[in-house]
Amino acid sequence: MAKLLIKGGRVISPAQKLDDICDILVEDGKIAAIGKSLDAKAAQVIDASGKVVTPGLVDIHVHLRDPGLEYKEDIASGTLSAVTGGFTSVACMPNTQPVNDNHTITSYILNKAAKEGHCRVFPIASISKGLEGESMTEMGELKQHGVYAVSDDGKPVSNPQLMRRAMEYAKPFGMVIISHAEDLDLVGSGVMNDGPVATELGLKGIPWVAEDAATAREVMLSEFTGARLHVAHVSTKGSIEIVRQAKARGVAVTCEAAPHHFTLTDEAVRGYNTNAKMNPPLRSAEDMAAVRQGIADGTVDAIATDHAPHHIDEKNVEFAIAMNGIVGLETALPLSLKLVEDGVIDLPRAIALLTNGPAAALNLPVGGLVEGGEADITVIDPEFAWTVDAQKLASKSKNTPFDGWQMKGAALHTIVAGKVVFSRS
Amino acid sequence: MSFKHKHILGIEQLSKEDIQLILDTGDAFKEVNSRDLKKVPTLRGKTIINAFFEASTRTRLSFEIAGKRLSSDTVNISGSTSSVVKGETLEDTAKNIEAMAPDIIVIRHAHSGAPHYLAERVNCSVVNAGDGAHEHPSQALLDLMTMREHKGSIEGLEVAIIGDITHSRVARSDIYALSKMGAKVRLCGPGTMLPVGIERLGNVEVFTDMRAAIKDADVVMMLRIQLERQSNIMLPSLREYARFYGLNPTNIQLAKPDAIVMHPGPMNRGVEISSVVADGVQNVILDQVENGVAVRMALLYLVSGVESMQTT
């Protein structure tokens, strides 16, 4: 395999506490060397001077919709969207049709990703069979087939006894439990954040307590069982505080925040904008500030997109009946870099939230730059100015609330296992 | 004429002057309704579709009569007879209606925002006849017309609105309209029916004690408790509701002696309003219904942008 030399970039790999101007030499899909003034004859050279070179970005919350919902997205289009956004690894949620609740579906996803995918895919299996919340999946066998974490994302486990048993069972297998923390009884028939905007628009509200009560339950069950808990898309002030306190007590909990939750508030719903409809919903300005604070103080371990492609027909309807979710893979990097511009975090911390942070949350073997290790690398131009055009997204679906937004920062090259899988022209 | 609105999606978008103009126009049309021949040629040749995707008797009838008295051709479609039940999207339904070249679509829909959705997708005028728990502009306008008729002016009135504020599009539209016209709105209802942030919609004070809410009020407006919508999670019983939030001959005495009693209908007698009060001398409930036709004539006329009222 050809050699690749990435020259003169600011190499930031928080996992290795590396932040220096240096070169990276890639050979046979592996990182052969990281150092100053590397030279390699017959190597393809990427001039990264003035750019930032990081471990390939990792998104641990993606819906690839494959199998079964390929009209929204499939493994090829979803991973193309990922590499366009600078991601070299994605973990995909199990709410496919059929549900990824057994090793056959897991293997289907892995095989298809190996054949048609543009980046690494880590399938997340469900906690309960068929996402029905009644009995748990064969987590031991799933683990053997490459599953690192389980989640009933989108259809959270209501029964606390099942969640307790799932945690107890998952723990010895080293399986991480990802919770979409929402109390469905408190959600009721709500369709947006409960608050003054919902009152004004006459839309039913989802109160913050629906998330906080569930987050508190999951944290307590994790504390009780000792199982590794990862809380998905934390969106409320209260949930951030619950996780913060749990971490201080030493509970084995991590959490993620989605770019839309640290960028937008429920004001975005005005005009009945169905591309501002997701679950958990866009919250108040106070909640958004708390999520940003959680990102700044280390409570939040990872930025994850909750990339949720939906067909135009599922969004071009009355707000109350529109599907929940937005695509996020291609806008996550600039929205995360905006946190740096806003002074919330510094650049290395932003990179950590997109690389070793998410990888560690699910124990994924990616997210760093080590000699001899897999060459998953993203070359980022933090100053690259561009405008989001939903119709030009690589994803099959165009449901983004950021259409027309001016962005700063983009992946110039995305490299998976030493191969340049995406270059921005 | 200085009315600039092609659509009537809510009171929120209207100015004080707009509301004034609508009420004045309504007053002028009211006379037509008392004639022997109740018809003016104002909207002759115009087609109005009353698209009621949610059940309604009073509002639909009122819009239909309003359209007919203006000589327009009015056609009604309802949720149960429309293609909605066949799974057609609202956009396709809208495009199909539009292909038949109506001038105005009057829409009632269970989902908040449906009229806005429609207005973005059709070229004709859209008039909101009630969307979800969002707005019911023509109801607020007929309420104001009735208050003005009985009280001379809206400004400075103390208006108590009692009941299920959470699910009430009437309350929201009335809050906007009354606040814009300089009245004060007092809201009261059970703790489960007072939505967060409602006071931000206008000149609103929220009460939990009904007696305090109606004390010295000029207008007491009772909202319908939607029996079909209530589960026992929102209310313990209708009996208890009537006791704490119902208007009766005793608590009405707390309001000003010349206070008027209003209700958007249909009433649940013995629940939110006792029959003695509903039929009492202070009630103006049927005036509201009468004014509904006039104010809807005004809305249809104003959005159609025709040059002359031609009321003679």
Side-chain angles (χ1 to χ4, degrees), chain A residues 40-70:
Chain A
K41 290 190 174 61
Q44 179 195 343
V45 176
I46 291 176
D47 177 9
S49 51
K51 309 293 186 276
V52 174
V53 181
T54 71
L57 308 185
V58 180
D59 188 348
I60 54 174
H61 197 140
V62 169
H63 296 269
L64 291 179
R65 307 296 192 205
D66 190 352
L69 301 163
E70 298 88 351

Side-chain angles (χ1 to χ4, degrees), chain A residues 120-177:
Chain A
R120 293 180 205 278
V121 174
F122 295 96
I124 296 165
S126 60
I127 295 171
S128 71
K129 290 190 186 113
L131 291 172
E132 281 168 1
E134 281 167 14
S135 60
M136 68 177 99
T137 51
E138 295 167 335
M139 295 182 201
E141 190 173 55
L142 285 162
K143 186 78 212 253
Q144 289 179 334
H145 283 80
V147 173
Y148 290 82
V150 288
S151 177
D152 277 10
D153 184 59
K155 214 180 160 197
V157 176
S158 283
N159 183 345
Q161 183 72 311
L162 176 65
M163 188 52 111
R164 169 199 170 185
R165 296 302 186 203
M167 285 187 182
E168 287 173 342
Y169 191 81
K171 189 184 168 190
F173 289 107
M175 190 76 98
V176 178
I177 299 270

Side-chain angles (χ1 to χ4, degrees), chain A residues 28 51 92 100 117 132 158 200 281 361:
Chain A
D28 297 328
K51 309 293 186 276
C92 59
N100 182 18
E132 281 168 1
S158 283
E200 191 180 321

Side-chain angles (χ1 to χ4, degrees), chain A residues 238-261:
Chain A
S239 285
I240 288 283
E241 184 55 27
I242 289 163
V243 173
R244 183 181 289 130
Q245 289 176 12
K247 285 185 161 188
R249 300 199 291 281
V251 181
V253 58
T254 53
C255 75
E256 74 194 28
H260 47 270
H261 287 132

Side-chain angles (χ1 to χ4, degrees), chain A residues 4 10 17 49 80 124 140 144 159 258 281 290 357 370 385 390 406 413:
Chain A
L4 179 66
R10 176 180 171 191
K17 298 189 167 42
S49 51
L80 182 62
I124 296 165
Q144 289 179 334
N159 183 345
V370 284
Q406 305 287 320
H413 304 282

Side-chain angles (χ1 to χ4, degrees), chain B residues 50-67:
Chain B
N50 294 317
F52 279 64
F53 299 103
E54 187 188 63
S56 160
T57 307
R58 189 182 336 256
T59 305
R60 195 182 73 179
L61 190 60
S62 184
F63 266 110
E64 186 177 1
I65 290 173

Side-chain angles (χ1 to χ4, degrees), chain B residues 6 32 88 110 117 119 126-127 165 179 206-207 210 269 277 304:
Chain B
K6 181 180 176 187
V32 174
E88 190 176 59
Y117 177 99
V126 174
V127 174
I165 311 297
S179 301
V206 177
F207 291 76
M210 180 178 171
R269 289 172 179 264
V277 182
S304 67

